[in-house]
């Protein structure tokens, strides 16, 4: 027989631990903060250990509390997923992917037809994700840029996030050396202010700074570059398809690591689900395929211009 102690108290504790407060847990569970506090206190009595240290303005988990919450949250996530599967309409198989708008438009969506051919019975839903978005409970997985460290999540590397300038072919013909970047607009991305300085330092170019128009997303800056507005700092794999099609050109050979990678991010229990397992196999193959490592295309008859080394 399983020894399940006071499930209401366990739910209250897990919600409080995840949200960081009894009030947050109460809002989630549709009860008062006082009720959550009472249930957690009863749970602690029954377990014989303290799960929280009650401080003046916040809750702090004890080591026992951290260990308990670390095991409980995946269990509740798995239970929610199982319930969704059981209650879904017969035959409906849904895979929800949390992904940023530029990654969705520039890499994932153009390749989803291939996944559809391989798995025609799986309905793919794209949810708003990206680095700033918390991992949602209803996501099957996410695709995120980072260092690979996300608490309570498994992260598998997909792509290196390499940086290199890109622009329209006509503008590329004017760029003989990296120092020529003093002339055109250097298009910026608001949340990636470090990209241009990182590349320019690696290129050994002094007294050049990015002062061109600023955009919210990489995809906007990339489109502006394709339209001739200036030179954007491209990031892989966003630029690979545009380079292959000739819409953009990488006028310099130098590619600089951003210091982060793209990862497939998911909760461990998902590996037991056949729909996620199918998507995981597919995206790992797609990430290492030819489209995932497209070479920069230069204008006909040109070799890559040198970058300054001093």
């Amino acid at each position: 027989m399983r020894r399940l102690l006071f499930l209401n108290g366990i739910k209250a504790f897990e919600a409080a631990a995840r949200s960081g407060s009894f009030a947050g847990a109460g809002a989630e569970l549709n009860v008062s903060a006082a009720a959550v506090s009472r249930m957690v206190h009863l749970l602690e009595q029954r377990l014989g250990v303290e799960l929280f240290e009650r401080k003046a303005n916040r809750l702090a988990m004890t080591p026992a509390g951290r260990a308990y919450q670390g095991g409980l949250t995946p269990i509740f996530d798995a239970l929610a997923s199982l319930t969704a599967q059981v209650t879904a309409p017969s035959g409906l198989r849904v895979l929800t992917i949390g992904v940023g708008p530029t990654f969705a438009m520039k890499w994932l969506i153009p390749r989803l037809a291939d996944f559809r051919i391989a798995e025609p019975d799986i309905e793919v839903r794209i949810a708003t994700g990206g680095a700033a978005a918390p991992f949602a409970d209803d996501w099957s997985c996410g695709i995120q840029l980072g260092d690979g460290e996300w608490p309570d999540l498994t992260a598998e590397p997909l792509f290196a996030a390499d940086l290199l300038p890109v622009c329209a072919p006509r503008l590329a013909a004017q760029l003989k050396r990296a120092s020529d970047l003093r002339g055109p607009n250097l298009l910026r991305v608001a949340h990636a202010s470090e990209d241009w300085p990182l590349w320019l330092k690696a290129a050994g170019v002094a007294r050049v700074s990015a002062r061109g128009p600023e955009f919210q997303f990489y995809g906007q800056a990339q489109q502006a570059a394709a339209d001739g507005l200036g030179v954007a700092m491209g990031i892989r794999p966003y630029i690979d398809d545009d380079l292959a099609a000739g819409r953009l050109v990488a006028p310099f050979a130098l590619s600089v690591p951003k210091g982060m990678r793209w990862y497939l991010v998911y909760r461990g229990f998902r590996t037991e689900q056949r729909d996620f397992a199918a998507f995981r196999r597919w995206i790992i193959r797609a990430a290492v395929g030819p489209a995932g490592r497209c070479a920069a295309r230069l204008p006909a008859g040109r070799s890559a211009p040198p970058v300054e080394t001093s």
Side-chain angles (χ1 to χ4, degrees):
M1 293 289 292
R2 291 186 179 91
R3 186 170 177 251
L4 297 177
L5 291 170
F6 192 34
L7 287 177
N8 283 340
I10 292 173
K11 278 179 57 180
F13 162 72
E14 192 276 336
R18 187 164 30 82
S19 66
S21 70
F22 291 146
E28 179 179 324
L29 300 175
N30 200 28
V31 298
S32 68
V36 173
S37 179
R38 285 195 300 272
M39 286 189 285
V40 171
H41 183 65
L42 285 172
L43 176 64
E44 289 174 320
Q45 288 183 325
R46 298 186 185 194
L47 293 175
V49 296
E50 287 191 350
L51 301 172
F52 286 118
E53 296 176 19
R54 276 76 168 174
K55 299 194 174 182
N57 297 315
R58 64 185 179 90
L59 290 175
M61 278 189 286
T62 64
R66 286 193 294 272
Y68 205 31
Q69 189 260 336
L72 284 174
T73 295
I75 291 171
F76 280 121
D77 288 340
L79 181 59
S81 176
L82 178 61
T83 302
Q85 291 179 54
V86 170
T87 58
S90 178
L92 180 62
R93 299 167 61 189
V94 176
L95 186 80
T96 302
I97 306 167
V99 62
T102 302
F103 195 99
M105 293 298 296
K106 291 296 185 181
W107 194 88
L108 182 59
I109 291 174
R111 291 162 176 77
L112 278 181
D114 292 335
F115 180 68
R116 180 75 174 176
I117 292 170
E119 300 289 343
D121 296 329
I122 299 177
E123 177 184 324
V124 175
R125 297 178 182 175
I126 304 297
T128 301
F135 195 93
D137 290 342
D138 62 341
W139 291 1
S140 305
C141 60
I143 300 169
Q144 296 190 345
L145 178 65
D147 60 4
E149 297 295 328
W150 286 276
D152 303 320
L153 297 172
T154 298
E156 292 189 83
L158 294 175
F159 311 95
D162 293 336
L163 302 170
L164 67 165
V166 293
C167 60
R170 183 178 300 178
L171 179 54
Q174 305 171 25
L175 301 176
K176 307 300 183 183
R177 301 179 65 83
S179 56
D180 293 339
L181 290 170
R182 294 187 181 93
N185 284 324
L186 302 187
L187 309 178
R188 299 173 294 152
V189 178
H191 63 80
S193 59
E194 72 283 357
D195 286 359
W196 270 112
L198 186 64
W199 190 90
L200 291 167
K201 181 179 179 180
V205 181
R207 296 183 297 278
V208 174
S209 59
R211 301 182 183 276
E214 183 177 271
F215 300 89
Q216 184 177 4
F217 300 116
Y218 279 108
Q220 295 169 336
Q222 189 171 321
Q223 183 61 52
D227 290 337
L229 185 60
V231 183
M233 181 53 64
I235 181 172
R236 294 193 185 276
Y238 292 170
I239 56 176
D240 289 344
D241 289 351
D242 283 340
L243 290 171
R247 292 185 292 268
L248 287 172
V249 168
F252 306 107
L254 179 64
S255 179
V256 176
K258 185 176 173 67
M260 295 184 281
R261 296 183 67 88
W262 294 98
Y263 291 86
L264 177 67
V265 182
Y266 57 90
R267 301 198 189 279
F269 70 87
R270 294 286 182 185
T271 57
E272 304 299 322
Q273 299 174 353
R274 60 173 181 161
D275 295 346
F276 169 72
F279 179 76
R280 176 174 171 267
R281 289 192 300 270
W282 173 82
I283 196 170
I284 289 173
R285 285 197 302 268
V288 299
R293 55 173 185 267
C294 165
R297 178 174 292 182
L298 295 162
R302 282 193 61 196
S303 59
V307 296
E308 280 77 357
T309 58
S310 62

